[in-house]
Amino acid sequence: MKSLNQLLAGAAAAALFLTAMPASAQKAPAPAGQGPDVAAQCAAMQQLAFLHGTWVGATTAFRPNGSKVTSLSKDVVTPLMDGELLAFAGSSYAPGATLADAPAMQNYGILSFDDRAGKLILTSFANGAQMRGEGRIVGPGHVEWTMPSPVGLLRFMVTAQGKDGWLEAIDVSADEGKSWRKFVEIAFRRAP
């Protein structure tokens, strides 16, 4: 059995090997049918560049009884691996709290594009749960995905609102998508 030091040394060697390769060798498209098309993945993810940055959002949660609760959210969206991935680090705050207060909930997600299936894949972590969803790029500045969660099936609809904002509307379904109700809406503005 390998020691921890041996495993770390092997991981470091692999990382050095990959970073020492020229970018063109790392991103070379695979021959048809022989692997992922990284160029296609990056091109698809580039359509989501409107999400890059730090954002503060006015959040409205819609309760089943019709009442609404407002609060703040903050998202930091970062492209990774030369644009192959998008990382989302989100914080939600309690009603009445400010961004200087501790978040009531945090989440983290990685969004990628599966070029073979032609769809987005989101893996998200929140409140001790790991969730996986699938989606699609609807058009310029518009992306949607669905994801099972502890509260039901979630449908996310994200739409650009000019160059300095985007709207995230989240619906929830208790019956596997047969019917939906408005769950959360966040109007994000680019943080100063």
Side-chain angles (χ1 to χ4, degrees):
M1 187 163 159
K2 292 186 177 184
S3 72
L4 179 58
N5 286 341
Q6 288 173 317
L7 291 172
L8 290 174
L16 285 173
F17 173 74
L18 289 173
T19 56
M21 293 172 61
S24 59
Q26 294 177 32
K27 294 256 179 228
Q34 293 188 10
D37 183 343
V38 176
Q41 292 173 4
C42 290
M45 295 303 290
Q46 183 58 38
Q47 295 181 62
L48 306 179
F50 73 94
L51 296 170
H52 299 176
T54 301
W55 306 88
V56 175
T59 304
T60 304
F62 300 89
R63 304 293 185 218
N65 67 6
S67 66
K68 298 177 187 177
V69 178
T70 59
S71 62
L72 292 175
S73 292
K74 180 179 178 182
D75 271 18
V76 178
V77 183
T78 308
L80 301 174
M81 296 175 56
D82 293 328
E84 284 181 59
L85 305 172
L86 272 186
F88 291 81
S91 298
S92 300
Y93 296 84
T98 70
L99 297 177
D101 295 321
M105 184 185 90
Q106 292 180 303
N107 60 72
Y108 191 80
I110 296 288
L111 187 64
S112 62
F113 183 75
D114 181 335
D115 60 283
R116 292 179 184 160
K119 61 186 170 185
L120 294 167
I121 304 294
L122 176 69
T123 303
S124 179
F125 305 87
N127 295 331
Q130 178 179 345
M131 300 161 282
R132 186 175 166 94
E134 296 181 354
R136 63 191 179 103
I137 299 168
V138 178
H142 187 184
V143 61
E144 295 180 358
W145 63 86
T146 58
M147 167 183 302
S149 80
V151 298
L153 184 63
L154 299 177
R155 176 174 62 193
F156 295 77
M157 297 152 288
V158 175
T159 309
Q161 306 284 298
K163 67 179 182 119
D164 288 323
W166 49 282
L167 181 67
E168 181 174 3
I170 307 169
D171 294 341
V172 64
S173 174
D175 57 11
E176 298 299 319
K178 294 182 183 90
S179 63
W180 297 91
R181 78 168 172 84
K182 191 181 275 194
F183 188 51
V184 176
E185 190 171 272
I186 309 170
F188 282 105
R189 301 298 304 161
R190 192 173 298 279

